[in-house]
Amino acid sequence: MSAAKLVIGNWKMNGSASQVRAFANLAACEWPGCEAALCVPYPLLPAAQMAFGATPLRWGAQDCSAEDDGAFTGEVSARMIREFGARYVIVGHSERRAGHAETDGQIVGKVQHALAAGLTPIVCVGEKAEERDGEQTAMVLRRQLLQLVRALGRDLGSIVIAYEPVWAIGSGDAAAPGMIDHTLGFIADMLTFHAGSSASAVRILYGGSVNPRNAEAILSRKPVAGVLVGSAALAPADFMDICKAAARCSTPATSDAT
Ligand code: 13P
């Protein structure tokens, strides 16, 4: 089985159709061992579909509704996102938890709709600086994940989890690789405790100030299945360097032949 590392770019509220096209050129290069995607603002989904359709680069969105359709002004459903060929959707990013008061319960609903629409949800979790300082990281992560684990059952294996400590996002200082190991190990253990064997298929990423200089040190850690990248995903050369680091860190595919 191949253990390709995932590199997901989160463009946040940045980018343009011409920037999308600039990434199509680099996407022409194959990175064996790296699965890469850009999560763009909704209006750029058609440009992403057109530019990346014939490349190995995938695309996605940064949020979806917890409803199918109806009177929800300004909302976008997972099915609508999927219609543009998207593979992924980020759910529960800390900027949405903080700025839009998203609750863990709403996030469960979004994840279920994403899965029903055929998207792979990337569920973000992570503690704030004061929670880290108060040694509450484990408690916060457990709270953010428990409802989800209970609601998903066997579907748990179809999601991706991104550990993004809020204090590391946009700070220029990623968490130390040893700390990332420790926290991702905690998340994996917690999932296994509550969900048994479905937990083993969950890919757990790290996000927060990942850049071409620190990517390899982070991606080479065994529990790290990939990275969620913000600002460094806006420049094609930086994103490509992170993808190359991911390819170097991937486990070679094992042959099924005996
Ligand atoms: P930065 O890589 O800019 O710190 O952003 C991380 C992030 O929030 C990705 O979702």
Side-chain angles (χ1 to χ4, degrees):
M1 198 185 82
S2 151
K5 299 263 180 180
L6 260 183
V7 178
I8 307 287
N10 175 8
W11 273 17
K12 308 193 178 183
M13 198 173 69
N14 295 294
S16 61
S18 60
Q19 220 167 329
V20 168
R21 288 190 289 274
F23 274 74
N25 301 330
L26 80 92
C29 356
E30 284 268 2
W31 307 287
C34 168
E35 195 181 320
L38 289 178
C39 291
V40 298
Y42 297 132
L44 298 183
L45 284 172
Q49 184 175 30
M50 196 171 294
F52 305 150
T55 77
L57 193 53
R58 315 273 183 209
W59 59 97
Q62 302 165 17
D63 181 40
C64 68
S65 174
E67 306 290 340
D68 279 331
D69 46 41
F72 302 102
T73 303
E75 294 281 292
V76 175
S77 74
R79 180 188 50 76
M80 292 167 178
I81 295 167
R82 182 69 192 132
E83 274 182 20
F84 288 98
R87 167 78 57 95
Y88 296 100
V89 62
I90 296 171
V91 176
H93 192 281
S94 58
E95 286 151 18
R96 294 206 58 87
R97 289 178 190 263
H100 300 264
E102 281 189 10
T103 64
D104 295 320
Q106 283 169 323
I107 290 164
V108 171
K110 289 176 182 221
V111 168
Q112 287 171 323
H113 278 78
L115 288 170
L119 294 168
T120 298
I122 300 166
V123 185
C124 299
V125 295
E127 80 287 1
K128 301 183 192 126
E130 60 271 25
E131 291 164 337
R132 173 200 58 189
D133 297 344
E135 297 185 2
Q136 294 171 334
T137 301
M139 191 190 74
V140 170
L141 296 176
R142 203 178 287 115
R143 188 193 66 223
Q144 290 174 333
L145 286 167
L146 203 52
Q147 272 193 59
L148 188 68
V149 174
R150 290 192 173 137
L152 290 188
R154 286 181 165 277
D155 284 344
L156 185 71
S158 305
I159 73 166
V160 173
I161 291 175
Y163 169 58
E164 293 206 306
V166 180
W167 46 268
I169 294 175
S171 70
D173 281 323
M179 190 206 161
I180 296 173
D181 261 6
H182 176 80
T183 312
L184 265 56
F186 168 79
I187 293 172
D189 288 350
M190 187 234 152
L191 297 180
T192 305
F193 181 79
H194 291 284
S197 58
S198 356
S200 60
V202 179
R203 289 174 290 178
I204 310 177
L205 317 184
Y206 168 78
S209 295
V210 176
N211 59 45
R213 293 169 301 288
N214 62 20
E216 189 149 353
I218 294 169
L219 283 157
S220 61
R221 296 292 174 141
K222 198 153 175 265
V224 178
V227 285
L228 181 54
V229 185
S231 56
L234 289 166
D238 286 351
F239 190 71
M240 184 165 64
D241 283 349
I242 296 172
C243 291
K244 285 181 187 158
R248 285 195 296 276
C249 295
S250 73
T251 323
T254 53
S255 162
D256 288 340
T258 47

